[in-house]
C-alpha cells in the first residue's frame, strides 16, 4: 500500500473522510516531494505521457467535461483510490476544471453538493470553480 499525501504539501486537499487529493496547475513545474501514484488530467487535448498511471478526461478550458458520464466514472475512481494512493487532479491553471473536479470529489466524500464549491474555495483555492456552469455542474453532481 502506498502512502497518501501530506496535507502540508502545496495543493493538497484533505476531504472530510481524511482522504487527500492534490490539485495543481500543469503550467507550473511539478512540485517537490513524492510523485502521484495516479493522476487525472482535465484537458481539451491528450496530455503528454507521465511516469505514473494517469487518465485523461476530455475537458476544455472554462467548460464542462465532454462526457459527464465519463467524468462521474473517472472522478469516482480517483476518490476511491485516494483512500490508499497519492491521487492528483490537474488542468492548465489548476483552478477552474481542477476546482470543479475537486468539488465533485468532495460531494462523493459526503460534502453536500450545494456546499461543495465553498468547501473547495475555503480549503483548496479561493478562486476555484471559475464559471457559473461549473458551479451548476457541481450543484447537480450526485454521489
Amino acid at each position: 500500500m502506498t502512502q497518501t499525501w501530506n496535507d502540508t504539501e502545496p495543493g493538497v486537499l484533505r476531504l472530510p473522510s481524511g482522504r487527500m487529493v492534490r490539485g495543481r496547475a500543469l503550467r507550473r513545474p511539478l512540485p517537490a516531494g513524492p510523485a502521484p501514484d495516479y493522476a487525472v488530467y482535465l484537458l481539451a487535448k491528450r496530455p503528454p505521457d507521465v511516469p505514473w498511471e494517469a487518465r485523461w478526461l476530455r475537458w476544455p478550458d472554462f467548460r464542462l467535461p465532454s462526457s459527464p458520464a465519463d467524468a462521474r466514472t473517472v472522478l469516482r475512481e480517483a476518490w476511491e483510490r485516494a483512500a490508499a494512493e497519492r491521487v492528483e487532479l490537474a488542468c492548465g491553471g489548476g483552478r477552474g476544471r481542477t476546482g470543479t473536479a475537486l468539488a465533485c470529489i468532495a460531494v462523493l466524500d459526503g460534502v453536500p453538493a450545494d456546499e461543495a464549491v465553498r468547501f473547495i474555495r475555503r480549503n483548496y483555492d479561493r478562486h476555484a470553480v471559475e464559471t457559473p456552469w461549473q458551479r451548476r455542474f457541481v450543484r447537480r453532481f450526485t454521489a
Side-chain angles (χ1 to χ4, degrees), residues 95-113:
R95 287 184 167 170
R97 294 167 285 181
T98 297
T100 303
L102 288 170
C104 292
I105 285 179
V107 171
L108 293 171
D109 202 66
V111 175

Side-chain angles (χ1 to χ4, degrees), residues 71-88:
R72 181 173 310 288
T73 299
V74 169
L75 296 176
R76 177 165 290 284
E77 180 181 4
W79 175 77
E80 289 170 356
R81 293 178 75 154
E85 298 177 69
R86 288 186 301 268
V87 173
E88 170 179 271

Side-chain angles (χ1 to χ4, degrees), residues 32-45:
D37 298 308
Y38 178 72
V40 176
Y41 296 119
L42 314 157
L43 300 166
K45 296 180 182 176

